[in-house]
Amino acid sequence: MAQNKPESEGGHEVFNTKLKGLRNQSKLGGGEKRIEAQHGKGKMTARERIDALMDEGSFQEINGLMTSRHTDFGLDKEKFPGDGIVAGFGKINGRRVCVYAQDFTIMGGSFGEVAGQKVCRIMDLAMDAGVPVIGLNDGGGARIQEGIFSLYAYGEVFYRNTLASGVVPQISVILGPCAGGAVYSPALTDFIVMTKGISNMFITGPEVIKTVTHEEVDTETLGGAMAHAATSGVAHFAVENEKEALQTVRDLLDYLPANNKESAPMAEITDDPWRMDKELDSLVPSNPSEGYDMKDIITRVCDQGSFMEIMSNFAQNSIIGFARLHGQSVGIVAQQPLFMAGAIDIDAADKMARFVRFCDAFNVPIVTFSDSPGFLPGVSQEHNGIIRHGAKIVYAFSEASVPKLTVVTRKGYGGAYIVMSSKHIHSDMVFAWPGAEIAVMGAEGAVAILYRKEIAEKADPVEARKQLVAEFREKFSNPYIAAGAGFVDDVIFPHETRPRLIAALELLRDKQTQMPAKKHGCMPL
Ligand code: HXC
């Protein structure tokens, strides 16, 4: 069914009048004045947002007449049918979704018992129907007047976010305030989109922080879109305005299956599977210390215009996102030699591991582009737990049972090579480019350790070191020892990457793997 039929009426005038009145009241939310105030802040209302998000005319509202039963602190005079949440289902790009939006015009979108019941109902429906659920957040947190009933409401939502995790995709859009414990519902979902300048998320606001730690900070710096997209890693997208935020959700859903039983969707095929981009052959500099843009490789290999980067401002030494190969939706995981030479640090480890788990939960094959010089050295990295965080990548790639394809574009050094979906942790297909250096470590480092004494004793230690480095590089810094051992499946010319990946994906489309029976593993968190 594509669109709503126009409003229809029953036969009895008296019934019609009552229902029409209630519907109109529900549609008006907190009233004209508050709608004006909402617009005055540059924000859409909950209903306008839902209309902008969904396919035209597809939204079917439910529980629009639910009303709070609370009466304390003047709540007996604040009765609104719908009570601060607009909830329902409909379609995005022709595919079914469930959605809810906090209505800031009703008591600042504060979240009480009815709000909780409505959100839980829509999440239960989404799980039963096997469709994604999208939450549009803009509210002042727990409805203070409802006391612990608000806490109960939030708790039930958190519980359902957890149950729904890995069952249906969950997306949160933050379009206004989202503070206190309220942040934990979005935090439990798969993707968070925030609007710059107007949305914010924090556990405790500037005033509390000032009292407790004497730090002075404004709301935007503390918990605005860029704070979370670039620094904390809480948000996956920071966008300019509400329209862009809602469009981001529509775009994102195109790459995802509706639930964990479906395969990742196929898009219309728009690019030649045999396209071989000769520019790829010269993108990686011959000098191993020189950087290059891994995104250039990703966009040339994948279907043209299909790469959608996620968390582009956070841990930029790593890259994650969705793309398509011959129409098939895939998850891309990569290192970015332009930032910190692509070394893996704590943030990059968290970012990549979480994304790998999402792809695995929702049957999205993973393509890894690896240029792995090592884990980032440093006292702060060690003391903040790079061991614990780095272990997440190994864990995530090892347990992922979706098709896993890997391309080693240049360095593959030591542990950081193993963790980036190498053959040793059971990637299905590993290709290396001819300039790949798969070794325990780089030539400079290896020579410094192996020949420290010999070099010191030479008449010209600089020349001696240079010669040993050249010898080591010639012998070990190449892909052929790994290829000879079967640790890479083939050494390929860079321009062959696209057809080779597409063929491997086609082979592995119905991949079956048996994992040992367990309740769940104990991932190092
Ligand atoms: C009840 C609330 C409310 C709330 C706002 N309102 N927050 N009503 N409970 N939590 C009401 C206001 O009283 C006001 O009503 C209307 O909503 C609009 O609010 P304004 O303050 O006029 O709007 P604005 O200036 O835009 O500021 C928005 C705001 C601010 C930043 C959200 O209202 C605010 O700081 N609210 C309190 C936030 C908070 O501390 N929440 C509780 C967090 S604790 P009138 O009738 O005057 O227009 C929490 C625990 C959750 O959430 C734990 C879950 C596990």
Side-chain angles (χ1 to χ4, degrees), residues 164-462:
S165 178
V167 179
V168 293
Q170 302 181 77
I171 303 176
S172 300
V173 190
I174 317 294
L175 301 161
C178 179
V183 297
Y184 283 115
S185 174
L188 287 162
T189 64
D190 301 307
F191 299 103
I192 297 181
V193 185
M194 293 183 76
T195 45
K196 289 183 194 166
I198 202 147
S199 72
N200 48 68
M201 295 177 79
F202 40 76
I203 298 278
T204 50
E207 286 309 316
V208 177
I209 290 180
K210 195 172 165 186
T211 314
V212 178
T213 67
H214 310 295
E215 291 164 294
E216 296 213 15
V217 64
D218 62 78
T219 310
E220 185 69 14
T221 312
L222 176 67
M226 283 313 288
H228 288 307
T231 308
S232 74
V234 166
H236 299 80
F237 300 94
V239 299
E240 296 302 325
N241 53 48
E242 300 198 354
K243 280 224 161 102
E244 198 183 329
L246 302 171
Q247 187 57 46
T248 301
V249 176
R250 291 176 63 89
D251 294 344
L252 189 56
L253 284 170
D254 274 353
Y255 294 92
L256 312 182
N259 59 64
N260 62 351
K261 295 209 176 81
E262 282 188 8
S263 304
M266 293 288 294
E268 198 188 325
I269 291 160
T270 52
D271 197 356
D272 178 5
W274 287 101
R275 182 172 55 77
M276 295 196 219
D277 190 331
K278 291 281 175 138
E279 294 283 317
L280 285 167
D281 296 337
S282 53
L283 281 186
V284 179
S286 54
N287 175 359
S289 314
E290 221 176 285
Y292 61 94
D293 189 355
M294 188 67 97
K295 284 186 212 167
D296 204 3
I297 290 174
I298 295 165
T299 50
R300 285 171 190 276
V301 168
C302 296
D303 292 358
Q304 275 166 356
S306 73
F307 180 51
M308 181 179 191
E309 190 175 1
I310 297 167
M311 299 182 91
S312 62
N313 295 294
F314 181 74
Q316 291 176 312
N317 42 331
S318 60
I319 301 169
I320 58 169
F322 292 108
R324 295 195 179 87
L325 276 169
H326 200 35
Q328 163 79 67
S329 173
V330 293
I332 303 288
V333 179
Q335 284 149 300
Q336 173 57 290
L338 286 185
F339 288 88
M340 291 158 38
I344 303 171
D345 66 347
I346 286 170
D347 286 345
D350 285 356
K351 170 175 159 179
M352 293 191 283
R354 183 172 177 187
F355 184 67
V356 166
R357 296 196 99 216
F358 176 86
C359 290
D360 188 46
F362 289 103
N363 311 315
V364 181
I366 301 163
V367 180
T368 304
F369 291 87
S370 166
D371 184 339
S372 209
F375 286 95
L376 185 70
V379 176
S380 96
Q381 286 289 308
E382 295 292 344
H383 285 185
N384 285 303
I386 183 68
I387 297 174
R388 179 164 53 88
H389 292 274
K392 294 178 197 178
I393 317 181
V394 201
Y395 196 103
F397 272 123
S398 300
E399 73 166 355
S401 60
V402 286
K404 292 176 282 191
L405 313 178
T406 310
V407 181
V408 183
T409 58
R410 189 166 64 178
K411 292 170 194 161
Y413 293 165
Y417 147 72
I418 300 174
V419 305
M420 287 302 288
S421 200
S422 68
K423 198 80 184 164
H424 314 299
I425 56 169
H426 293 217
S427 174
D428 295 296
M429 197 76 74
V430 179
F431 299 117
W433 285 5
E437 303 172 12
I438 302 176
V440 172
M441 57 170 62
E444 302 272 355
V447 166
I449 293 170
L450 290 178
Y451 302 106
R452 188 156 49 98
K453 273 195 199 140
E454 287 90 328
I455 291 171
E457 285 161 6
K458 294 278 183 211
D460 184 350
V462 175

Side-chain angles (χ1 to χ4, degrees), residues 466-488:
K466 225 165 128 187
Q467 210 173 325
L468 286 163
V469 166
E471 275 169 27
F472 189 94
R473 188 162 283 142
E474 174 63 24
K475 193 155 186 207
F476 294 113
S477 300
N478 61 62
Y480 299 108
I481 299 169
F487 299 154
V488 301

Side-chain angles (χ1 to χ4, degrees), residues 62-63 116-126 128 160:
I62 58 163
N63 300 133
Q117 287 164 339
K118 287 180 72 171
V119 171
C120 288
R121 169 91 181 104
I122 210 66
M123 292 186 66
D124 290 343
L125 260 183
D128 288 348
R160 275 168 185 77

Side-chain angles (χ1 to χ4, degrees), residues 34 41 104 107-108 110 140-145 151 154 158 177 179 181:
R34 288 180 197 273
K41 288 178 191 161
F104 193 86
M107 288 185 263
S110 56
R143 184 170 294 166
I144 296 159
Q145 301 93 318
L151 303 186
Y154 269 126
F158 301 167

